[in-house]
């Protein structure tokens, strides 16, 4: 921010003002709460808004100098008083303090302290031709309308603003929004809260034609004073689509470039303003909605037969098989076919098929009930061969005469020593799975292999699975 | 303050049906590129420990991710990382160890219990879930147990699934998970997400069950209950952002460092598809307004838990409008009541029942009106015992 804006800000609206505004000034509150929609918009509009603030101040002071309005009201921090007074004097005007209010803690100078409260305050100054009468900014209730007219309000706006002040209001935009105006609030009205023009008074309605005329007069004066570029920015802003709303006394104005908010007038009804535009909800991504099964189905889906498979609970079995698939991702990527020897209820095969749907998969299972569960899980197209391991493996070699790329096996579940040799005869690569039972007993895959007389592929043991090295003629 | 580094903004490889970032993705406001030098320059300026965040952070090029991890390790001895876990690979485990990465993984349960975290179709969803389960087990086996975030919804915490969820959490405790954060589903993000939310009553039942379960399961801590008790006790030093008068225009607890290095707000506040930048000034309009707005109008007027709860997270506000209190109010209120009863039964104090409550509220309101946000603890200290 430039020094000029940091040290003083023009009020919005022009006087007459509420006796006790909630914030030092609506324009200051709104300007400090601008949140840009992105870095590009900020890079473009932040300096423009700052410049427009300076220009609005210059135009307002010129209006005072030309006696079109009796005075301007500015807020400044304690440290800005000197510069403000100096500036007023340089154009033949006087500056008179009319009000003080506790500023924002974040704006307090570092060295300010509670023992020196004057530096914690913001000060409102009236700037006009001497002698200045402070009461022109806050006249008695019966003089409000005339005061508003003197400050440039069109008669319709002067009357409605005076009525609103008498009801205890202080924020003209909140008043428009609280009325639930059917007409959307145009940008040049909504963004007047920032104190940048082209509307400097509190309009009586969003579509007030006299207000529109006032706005043109402001732009014309700006151009006359040499601010053609700045006035073109205001023209641009006037066409922006805006969303303005008031909810529980908080106003918010949103444009494509930024949004801003401020604590506004209290209101009794909770929600006013043009409806917020939220993007349409994302539809259809989950059109095939998953039905919520009951808990018995869920337990079946999670995995049954975990004890027989060597696990402490169904979660351990699912987690372990998921980890086996994760560890063997590369091997599965290379394979065209796989078998799970002793496949239980088929969970590992299901997880493999979800990872690589085009893999040709087979299962073998001695236990008839588990084999049935496996068929139910995997569907009829995936062969699950039941019976003792050797017989099932023999059947498998007839079904896949060219052999199988990958076999997953828990050696502890094989019912005879010959079964592992049979697996190795069929499969080009054998992956040993560590279950809870085997890992509790053997601690890790290397120890498990050594204890069972198996040779693992060097340097390739996973945490819960490992590939056997190719047979070397030595019986396992 | 949590600094969340988001090189790819809200870009994610899965599309959870309830994700609060769906608004941004729907609006197409997801960056495709990032400027790592600008991100690091911003981190230099902030000079705060940070977390790697998304969207899905693991979509970031590994060499760049490693640079960020190394930066966190060199400066702060480690770095946090929040991930959906589906893209973790074997080679990442070593990176995590080398740079002391503290992992947080979001998963709602095993297999079908995680179906709300939708990956496009059912097999893809289950495949993603299996990869998350594998990542958790692997990290635990490697001695780096992740923190787990569970969002309660109909797929994992409906009355007939709650026991399964508890048993699974017990299993996680058994393999080494120590911290579990419970989230309530944000109700309004996607049409597909509709029907996934539990009712307030169901949420409350689920949370009460989990609270009892926490006591049976000493190895796992759900931070939410301890935090609520701490808030009622007036100790807000360690509690999370939802209890700290969050300003959605300048979320103090969470600062996002976006793809181009700019500072963003917590993504939960983005309801219109735009990641707005931080406002120049933090302010507390929301809390000031909620305090004086009747509950019938979406405020918190008269609620004895206001000092602790403050209307909760603006990202969960009624109707997606941050000016309203949290839509989960009945759940928070019910839990605060339970915890208040327990505290009083144990002879402890609860600010909700303190004689000083209105005095403390007045002090807090006065502070907020000049843009200050003191801790509850500091106000209580000033005022003497509650
Ligand atoms: S919006 Fe909610 S989640 Fe984000 S920082 Fe604020 S309180 Fe926390
Ligand atoms: S419990 Fe409800 S009413 Fe009370 S402070 Fe929290 S959100 Fe507001």
């Amino acid at each position: 921010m430039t020094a000029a804006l940091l040290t003083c800000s023009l009020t919005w609206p022009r006087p007459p003002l509420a006796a006790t505004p909630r914030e030092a000034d609506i324009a200051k509150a709104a300007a400090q709460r601008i949140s840009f929609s992105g870095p590009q918009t900020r890079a473009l509009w932040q300096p423009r808004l700052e410049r427009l603030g300076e220009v609005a101040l210059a135009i307002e002071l010129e209006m005072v100098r030309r006696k079109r309005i009796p005075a301007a009201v500015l807020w400044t921090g304690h440290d800005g008083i000197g510069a403000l007074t100096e500036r007023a004097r340089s154009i033949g005007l006087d500056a008179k303090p009319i009000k003080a209010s506790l500023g924002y803690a974040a704006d307090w100078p570092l060295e300010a302290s509670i023992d020196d409260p004057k530096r914690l305050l913001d000060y409102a100054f009236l700037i006009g031709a001497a002698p200045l009468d402070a009461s022109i900014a806050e006249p008695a209730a019966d003089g409000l309308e005339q005061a508003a007219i003197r400050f440039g309000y069109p008669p319709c706006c002067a009357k409605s603003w005076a009525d609103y002040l008498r009801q205890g209001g202080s924020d003209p935009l909140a008043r428009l929004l609280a009325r639930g105006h059917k007409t959307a609030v145009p940008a040049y009205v909504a963004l007047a809260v920032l104190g940048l023009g082209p509307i400097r008074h509190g309009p009586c309605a969003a579509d007030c034609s006299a207000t529109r005329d006032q706005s043109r007069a402001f732009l014309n004066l700006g151009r006359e004073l040499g601010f053609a570029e700045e006035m073109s920015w205001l023209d641009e802003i006037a066409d922006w689509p805006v969303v303005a709303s008031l909810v529980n006394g908080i106003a918010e104005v949103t444009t494509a470039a930024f949004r801003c908010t401020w604590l506004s007038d209290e209101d009794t009804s909770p929600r006013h303003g043009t409806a917020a535009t939220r993007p349409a909800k994302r539809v259809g991504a989950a059109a095939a909605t998953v039905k919520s099964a009951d808990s018995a189905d869920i337990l079946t889906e999670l995995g049954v037969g975990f004890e027989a498979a060597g696990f402490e609970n169904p979660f351990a079995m699912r987690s372990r098989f998921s980890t086996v698939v994760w560890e063997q991702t590369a091997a599965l990527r290379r394979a065209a076919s796989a078998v799970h020897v002793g496949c239980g209820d088929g969970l590992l095969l299901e997880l493999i098929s979800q990872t690589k749907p085009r893999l040709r998969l087979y299962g073998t299972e001695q236990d008839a009930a588990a084999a049935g569960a496996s068929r139910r899980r995997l569907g009829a197209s995936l062969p699950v061969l039941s019976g003792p391991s050797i017989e099932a493996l023999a059947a498998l070699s007839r079904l896949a005469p060219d052999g199988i790329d990958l076999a997953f096996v828990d050696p502890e579940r094989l019912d005879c020593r010959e079964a592992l040799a049979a697996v190795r005869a069929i499969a080009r690569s054998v992956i040993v799975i560590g279950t809870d039972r085997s890992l509790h007993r053997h601690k890790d895959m290397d120890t498990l292999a050594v204890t069972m007389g198996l040779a693992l592929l060097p340097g390739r043991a996973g945490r819960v699975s490992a590939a056997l090295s190719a047979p070397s003629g030595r019986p396992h | 303050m949590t600094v969340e580094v988001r090189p790819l903004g809200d870009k994610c490889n899965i599309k959870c049906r309830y994700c609060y970032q769906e608004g941004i993705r729907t609006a197409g406001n997801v960056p495709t590129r990032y400027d790592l030098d600008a991100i690091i320059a911003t981190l230099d300026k902030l000079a705060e420990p940070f977390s790697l965040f998304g969207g899905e952070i693991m979509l970031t090029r590994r060499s760049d991710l490693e640079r960020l991890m190394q930066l966190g390790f060199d400066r702060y001895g480690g770095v946090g990382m929040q991930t959906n876990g589906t893209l973790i690979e074997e080679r990442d485990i070593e990176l995590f160890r080398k740079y002391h990465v503290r992992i947080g993984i979001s998963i709602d349960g095993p297999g079908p219990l995680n179906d709300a975290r939708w990956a496009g179709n059912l097999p893809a969803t289950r495949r993603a879930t299996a990869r998350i389960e594998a990542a958790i087990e692997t990290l635990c086996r490697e001695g780096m147990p992740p923190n787990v975030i569970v969002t309660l919804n109909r797929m994992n915490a409906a009355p007939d699934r709650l026991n399964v969820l508890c048993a699974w959490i017990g299993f996680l405790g058994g393999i080494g998970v120590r911290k579990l954060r419970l989230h309530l589903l944000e109700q309004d993000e996607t049409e597909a997400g509709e029907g996934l939310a539990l009712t307030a009553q169901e949420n409350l039942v689920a949370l009460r069950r989990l609270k009892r379960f926490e006591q049976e399961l000493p190895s796992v801590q759900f931070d939410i209950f301890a935090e609520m008790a701490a808030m009622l006790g007036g100790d807000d030093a360690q509690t999370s952002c939802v209890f700290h008068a969050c300003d959605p225009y300048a979320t103090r607890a969470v600062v996002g460092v976006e793809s181009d290095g700019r500072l963003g707000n917590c993504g939960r506040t983005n309801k219109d598809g735009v990641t707005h930048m931080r406002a120049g000034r933090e302010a507390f309009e929301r809390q000031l307004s909620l305090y004086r707005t009747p509950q019938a109008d979406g405020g918190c007027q008269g609620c004895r838990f206001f000092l602790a709860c403050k209307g909760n997270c603006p990202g969960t506000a009624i109707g997606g409008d941050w000016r309203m209190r949290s839509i989960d109010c009945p759940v928070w209120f019910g839990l605060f009541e339970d915890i208040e009863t327990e505290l009083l039964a144990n002879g402890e104090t609860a600010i909700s029942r303190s004689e000083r409550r209105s005095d403390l509220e007045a002090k807090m309101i006065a502070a907020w009106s000049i843009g200050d946000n003191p801790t509850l603890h500091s106000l209580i200290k000033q005022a003497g015992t509650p």
Side-chain angles (χ1 to χ4, degrees):
Chain A
M1 285 252 173
T2 61
L5 266 191
L6 264 181
T7 52
C8 77
S9 68
L10 204 50
T11 57
W12 186 74
R14 279 187 193 137
L17 299 171
T20 48
R22 181 182 310 289
E23 308 242 17
D25 176 44
I26 296 165
K28 179 180 172 184
Q32 291 202 353
R33 298 283 283 151
I34 287 181
S35 163
F36 289 93
S37 57
Q40 284 89 0
T41 42
R42 183 174 69 178
L44 182 64
W45 279 100
Q46 187 164 343
R48 284 186 176 185
L49 295 181
E50 287 168 8
R51 175 71 188 141
L52 283 171
E54 293 164 23
V55 167
L57 181 57
I59 295 174
E60 193 80 346
L61 291 177
E62 180 61 17
M63 288 189 74
V64 178
R65 211 182 57 78
R66 293 185 186 187
K67 298 196 168 35
R68 291 197 196 164
I69 52 174
V73 177
L74 298 148
W75 282 91
T76 179
H78 183 266
D79 294 350
I81 293 175
L84 179 63
T85 314
E86 195 51 45
R87 178 163 185 177
R89 288 216 182 102
S90 72
I91 49 171
L93 299 175
D94 198 9
K96 184 168 190 166
I98 52 169
K99 181 179 299 200
S101 159
L102 203 55
Y104 302 121
D107 294 346
W108 293 344
L110 275 181
E111 62 287 2
S113 94
I114 212 83
D115 304 326
D116 184 19
K118 64 179 186 298
R119 302 196 66 196
L120 309 181
L121 300 177
D122 279 346
Y123 299 85
F125 273 80
L126 200 60
I127 311 249
L132 272 172
D133 173 7
S135 70
I136 57 170
E138 283 170 25
D142 57 359
L144 287 169
E145 197 172 328
Q146 288 72 25
I149 286 173
R150 289 183 66 202
F151 275 96
Y153 285 59
C156 51
C157 303
K159 179 173 180 337
S160 84
W161 179 235
D163 290 344
Y164 190 57
L165 287 175
R166 278 190 288 268
Q167 288 157 20
S170 66
D171 180 345
L173 186 62
R175 179 176 56 119
L176 295 185
L177 297 171
R179 281 191 200 165
H181 257 251
K182 292 284 176 283
T183 324
V185 179
Y188 74 100
V189 174
L191 293 172
V193 293
L194 296 172
L196 311 177
I199 296 180
R200 298 283 309 125
H201 66 275
C204 62
D207 53 356
C208 166
S209 59
T211 294
R212 191 172 285 275
D213 293 344
Q214 290 279 27
S215 138
R216 274 190 220 107
F218 180 96
L219 294 169
N220 289 340
L221 179 55
R223 289 196 176 95
E224 184 194 323
L225 295 176
F227 302 124
E229 189 182 8
E230 291 82 352
M231 296 304 103
S232 72
W233 299 337
L234 282 180
D235 275 337
E236 187 181 335
I237 288 175
D239 291 333
W240 283 355
V242 296
V243 172
S245 61
L246 178 71
V247 173
N248 293 335
I250 304 174
E252 183 173 53
V253 174
T254 305
T255 72
F258 59 80
R259 59 178 183 169
C260 59
T261 190
W262 64 99
L263 196 58
S264 178
D265 285 340
E266 289 183 28
D267 63 312
T268 46
S269 46
R271 178 183 291 267
H272 304 287
T274 49
T277 46
R278 302 188 57 185
K281 290 183 175 188
R282 185 171 58 91
V283 190
T289 306
V290 183
K291 297 271 181 308
S292 165
D294 68 26
S295 61
D297 292 344
I298 279 295
L299 287 172
T300 307
E301 210 175 337
L302 283 171
V304 291
F306 59 88
E307 282 160 316
F311 294 98
E312 287 170 2
N313 55 54
F315 310 110
M317 181 165 79
R318 178 172 274 274
S319 173
R320 189 66 42 77
F321 284 165
S322 299
T323 311
V324 169
V325 174
W326 183 82
E327 285 185 350
Q328 300 303 328
T329 305
L332 283 165
R333 205 172 287 139
R334 289 190 298 268
S337 57
V339 58
H340 183 192
V341 180
C343 67
D345 79 339
L347 179 61
L348 177 61
L349 288 169
E350 182 183 50
L351 293 168
I352 292 173
S353 73
Q354 284 161 356
T355 294
K356 194 167 176 192
R358 280 203 287 275
L359 208 59
R360 253 179 308 115
L361 290 174
Y362 305 89
T364 73
E365 176 54 50
Q366 310 167 44
D367 181 82
S374 178
R375 289 187 190 105
R376 281 193 295 283
R377 181 186 287 280
L378 301 166
S381 60
L382 195 157
V384 176
L385 307 160
S386 48
S389 305
I390 285 288
E391 287 173 25
L393 288 165
L396 178 62
S397 61
R398 288 192 292 279
L399 207 58
D402 296 335
I404 306 274
D405 290 332
L406 267 183
F408 291 87
V409 62
D410 166 16
E412 294 197 332
R413 283 202 77 203
L414 294 175
D415 49 2
C416 63
R417 286 187 66 78
E418 293 73 34
L420 187 58
V423 172
R424 304 197 71 156
I426 294 175
R428 283 176 272 282
S429 179
V430 177
I431 308 292
V432 177
I433 297 168
T435 61
D436 283 352
R437 188 168 44 209
S438 56
L439 287 176
H440 281 171
R441 201 177 303 154
H442 304 295
K443 198 171 103 330
D444 56 35
M445 294 305 296
D446 284 317
T447 320
L448 183 151
V450 169
T451 315
M452 301 193 79
L454 303 172
L456 300 181
L457 271 184
R460 294 277 301 278
R463 297 159 196 89
V464 297
S465 64
L468 293 188
S469 63
S472 58
R474 182 171 63 86
H476 293 298
Chain B
M1 176 169 81
T2 309
V3 176
E4 293 178 348
V5 181
R6 301 170 3 104
L8 288 167
D10 294 312
K11 186 172 180 182
C12 190
N13 60 322
I14 59 174
K15 290 179 163 45
C16 300
R17 288 190 270 172
Y18 53 68
C19 179
Y20 67 85
Q21 294 170 338
E22 267 309 301
I24 296 284
R25 288 189 281 264
T26 305
N29 290 335
V30 173
T32 48
R33 268 179 269 152
Y34 53 86
D35 179 344
L36 196 62
D37 292 333
I39 290 173
I40 290 175
T42 303
L43 289 172
D44 284 343
K45 262 186 242 145
L46 287 171
E48 291 264 356
F50 57 89
S51 278
L52 304 170
F53 214 81
E56 175 45 46
I57 186 68
M58 299 294 293
L59 287 168
T60 314
R61 207 180 304 124
R62 284 303 191 277
S63 54
D64 294 338
L65 203 53
E66 181 166 3
R67 223 176 122 193
L68 288 166
M69 288 175 182
Q70 181 160 16
L71 184 77
F73 177 71
D74 291 346
R75 301 252 173 95
Y76 310 107
V79 61
M81 185 170 103
Q82 185 59 43
T83 170
N84 65 31
T86 58
L87 299 175
I88 294 177
E89 292 175 12
E90 185 66 52
R91 62 186 167 142
D92 299 319
I93 305 291
E94 267 324 295
L95 286 185
F96 298 161
R97 184 189 309 287
K98 186 171 170 192
Y99 299 117
H100 291 201
V101 182
R102 302 175 300 276
I103 315 266
I105 291 188
S106 305
I107 180 172
D108 297 342
L113 269 67
N114 196 42
D115 279 349
R117 300 181 66 80
W118 193 246
N121 57 51
L122 189 57
T125 301
R126 295 290 171 85
R127 177 172 65 237
T129 301
R131 287 189 66 84
I132 307 170
E133 291 188 65
I136 294 174
E137 170 148 357
T138 303
L139 288 167
C140 288
R141 286 186 174 275
E142 288 294 322
M144 299 183 279
N147 293 343
V148 172
I149 294 181
V150 172
T151 300
L152 300 181
N153 64 78
R154 197 153 289 287
M155 307 305 293
N156 68 349
D160 58 349
R161 292 186 171 202
L162 205 45
N163 284 338
V164 180
L165 179 67
C166 288
W168 174 70
I169 291 171
F171 159 74
L172 290 183
I175 63 172
V177 171
R178 292 289 165 264
K179 282 205 162 159
L180 204 133
R181 174 155 280 280
L182 296 169
H183 280 178
L184 301 183
L185 185 146
E186 204 178 312
Q187 301 192 11
D188 56 355
E189 283 312 310
T190 67
E191 209 157 85
E194 274 170 12
L196 280 176
L198 297 170
T199 63
Q201 191 54 34
E202 286 169 335
N203 265 321
L204 196 52
V205 166
L207 285 166
R208 283 177 170 154
R209 170 85 177 84
L210 287 161
K211 186 164 174 296
R212 283 197 306 278
F213 184 59
E214 187 187 34
Q215 276 143 24
E216 298 161 20
L217 193 75
S219 61
V220 182
Q221 201 191 0
F222 304 121
D223 22 18
I224 190 73
F225 306 120
E227 286 186 9
M228 292 176 82
M231 288 307 299
L232 283 183
D235 174 11
D236 50 359
Q238 302 291 331
T239 52
S240 56
C241 54
V242 297
F243 302 120
H244 284 264
C246 175
D247 168 15
Y249 270 61
T251 53
R252 183 191 283 194
V254 176
V255 174
V257 178
E258 305 295 331
S259 55
D260 46 11
R262 79 183 132 122
L263 294 181
N265 282 320
C266 168
R268 275 192 183 257
T269 61
N270 298 331
K271 297 295 177 189
D272 52 5
V274 180
T275 308
H276 277 98
M277 301 177 76
R278 293 172 75 77
R281 174 166 74 88
E282 187 183 29
F284 302 94
E285 301 100 349
R286 179 170 190 260
Q287 292 72 28
L288 292 167
S289 159
L290 289 178
Y291 185 70
R292 60 171 163 72
T293 301
Q295 294 189 25
D297 292 337
C300 299
Q301 191 183 74
C303 175
R304 69 180 189 277
F305 299 117
F306 186 75
L307 276 173
C309 173
K310 305 177 184 80
N312 213 266
C313 167
T316 65
I318 296 168
D321 192 321
W322 59 271
R323 294 167 286 190
M324 310 288 269
R325 71 167 182 270
S326 169
I327 196 166
D328 300 317
C329 165
V331 182
W332 297 121
F333 192 92
L335 282 179
F336 272 124
E337 262 189 328
D338 293 353
I339 295 168
E340 177 191 68
T341 308
E342 277 169 27
L343 287 174
L344 296 179
N346 293 337
E348 294 174 55
T349 46
I351 45 166
S352 48
R353 292 291 185 192
S354 161
E355 283 173 6
R356 294 262 174 98
R357 176 164 68 85
S358 53
D359 177 43
L360 288 171
E361 284 173 356
K363 287 196 163 72
M364 195 61 107
I365 292 292
W368 284 333
S369 31
I370 54 163
D372 201 8
N373 188 20
T375 62
L376 197 48
H377 180 70
S378 68
L379 289 188
I380 291 171
K381 241 172 92 181
Q382 269 172 30
T385 48

